[in-house]
Amino acid sequence: MASEYRAKEAAGRGEVLGEGDLYPDVRPVLAALRRAGHRVLIAGNQSVRAGELLRDLNLPADAIATSGEWGIAKPDAGFFARVVDMAEVPPENIVYVGDHPANDILPAKAAGMWTVHIRRGPLGLLWGDSPSGREADWQISSLAELAEIEHLPKK
């Protein structure tokens, strides 16, 4: 797989991730959460290169990690153990936001985290009304709604 990524990069067809790929609420909401005293972490099933590109965007996040960097992907419990390690707090002090019940919500809950199902994008909308999508502690349609959740843990 790594050789395929290198070949695509060499051919000028590598991964691209820029400001235009972000939802408009990402930067302001992450910044507001940090100002409110929350630690903001980004972790997802992405390549090593995607992690580099995300960090290059200088997002208002305390840390960014990808499954490619960790060598373990969601929904594996080991991925969520790495999230807990990265957060440096017990899992019950973590609120995990994701759009896929099987990859995000159910394994994060199994790891002891609070969960938020974001109902946007293809997967979020597809799974929003499913029984497993409703397993989340909260459902939102925009990151801005995170500020309305009363009991978000702080650093």
Side-chain angles (χ1 to χ4, degrees):
M1 181 88 81
S3 62
E4 291 170 5
Y5 281 120
R6 283 193 299 277
K8 285 170 72 175
E9 287 284 333
R13 303 185 72 127
E15 288 182 77
V16 177
L17 183 62
E19 195 69 31
D21 295 306
L22 301 176
Y23 284 102
D25 61 351
V26 168
R27 200 171 280 284
V29 170
L30 297 183
L33 288 169
R34 290 184 78 202
R35 281 192 307 276
H38 301 287
R39 190 150 188 251
V40 175
L41 309 172
I42 298 171
N45 279 354
Q46 298 291 333
S47 67
V48 171
R49 178 70 179 137
E52 294 166 355
L53 293 168
L54 283 167
R55 283 186 284 279
D56 287 347
L57 289 174
N58 294 312
L59 293 168
D62 295 290
I64 297 172
T66 67
S67 57
E69 294 164 335
W70 286 345
I72 193 161
K74 302 182 289 181
D76 191 290
F79 179 92
F80 293 90
R82 293 296 301 263
V83 169
V84 173
D85 290 344
M86 183 169 75
E88 299 176 339
V89 297
E92 62 269 16
N93 290 353
I94 298 171
V95 176
Y96 189 92
V97 178
D99 65 356
H100 194 287
N103 281 351
D104 297 309
I105 305 307
L106 300 177
K109 283 186 84 66
M113 300 174 196
W114 294 97
T115 57
V116 176
H117 182 246
I118 188 159
R119 297 178 57 162
R120 72 173 174 197
L123 294 177
L125 293 172
L126 175 68
W127 294 103
D129 291 325
S130 71
S132 55
R134 292 190 300 266
E135 290 289 322
D137 297 298
W138 299 278
Q139 285 198 337
I140 61 175
S141 297
S142 163
L143 287 178
E145 294 174 54
L146 283 174
E148 298 170 16
I149 296 174
E150 293 183 22
H151 303 293
L152 284 180
K154 299 210 179 192
K155 293 183 193 177

